Amino acid sequence: MSSTPISYSTRRAAEESDLQACFQVRKDVFVGEQNVPEELEYDACDATAVHVLAVAADGTALGTGRLLHGANAAGKTGGDPSIGSLGRLAVSREARGLGVGAALVRAIEDEARKLGLAAVDLHAQTHALGFYERLGYVAYGPEFPDAGMPHRAMRREIHPA
């Protein structure tokens, strides 16, 4: 990618090719760059999660994220069925700084609204707290380790559609 602004869009991953693109971005970022063990990166929740994908005009996958809801989110959100869990947010190295991460968060929030959820929780790596705070998320609870990295829980209230 060049330093000139690129055109991209976000969408719910619906086709198998979209899901494969989501998983490849996650593998590149989490497994490749951050050394998260591959067996921790992918889990049973992937089958029922809502996945979103950011793609460049030429079809290149730039980033992804997922939304857990219902029973799959309960363990991360304190059991409240009206709260979804945003996770696995990853932006490819060449697309960082272009607003892709923020666009993915907003796309996930839109999907949460469609499901009638009242809030979205996430577990942020501590170096990313400022990014999520700028998007309206508020940290709560103590710092905790996840995949060997320090995290904090965060939440943003949303208004259902």
Side-chain angles (χ1 to χ4, degrees):
M1 301 274 152
S2 68
S3 59
T4 19
I6 62 161
S7 175
Y8 66 88
S9 60
T10 60
R11 66 176 183 248
R12 183 176 180 151
E15 305 293 324
E16 183 62 28
S17 59
D18 286 347
L19 289 173
Q20 291 310 313
C22 291
F23 296 150
Q24 186 61 53
V25 171
R26 285 169 47 185
K27 184 174 185 174
D28 293 346
V29 172
F30 295 123
V31 178
E33 292 179 31
Q34 297 183 0
N35 298 311
V36 173
E38 201 160 350
E39 61 273 11
L40 293 180
E41 178 51 33
Y42 306 101
D43 59 27
C45 295
D46 281 326
T48 56
V50 173
H51 298 269
V52 296
L53 179 65
V55 292
D58 68 1
T60 303
L62 303 177
T64 187
R66 76 177 187 183
L67 174 69
L68 302 181
H69 53 94
N72 285 338
K76 297 179 180 285
T77 63
D80 186 335
S82 72
I83 301 173
S85 178
L86 182 161
R88 304 303 202 270
L89 187 73
V91 175
S92 66
R93 186 188 313 265
E94 50 278 358
R96 292 179 194 148
L98 302 175
V100 173
L104 286 165
V105 170
R106 295 304 185 221
I108 289 168
E109 291 170 351
D110 288 344
E111 294 297 333
R113 281 185 195 90
K114 290 174 189 173
L115 292 168
L117 300 176
V120 174
D121 267 19
L122 58 88
H123 292 166
Q125 293 178 16
T126 55
H127 71 81
L129 288 171
F131 166 77
Y132 290 111
E133 287 168 345
R134 288 188 294 279
L135 294 173
Y137 287 80
V138 177
Y140 67 91
E143 187 176 291
F144 60 92
D146 188 5
M149 292 173 273
H151 285 68
R152 290 277 312 275
M154 301 184 85
R155 178 173 292 169
R156 180 171 188 261
E157 305 292 325
I158 59 171
H159 301 287

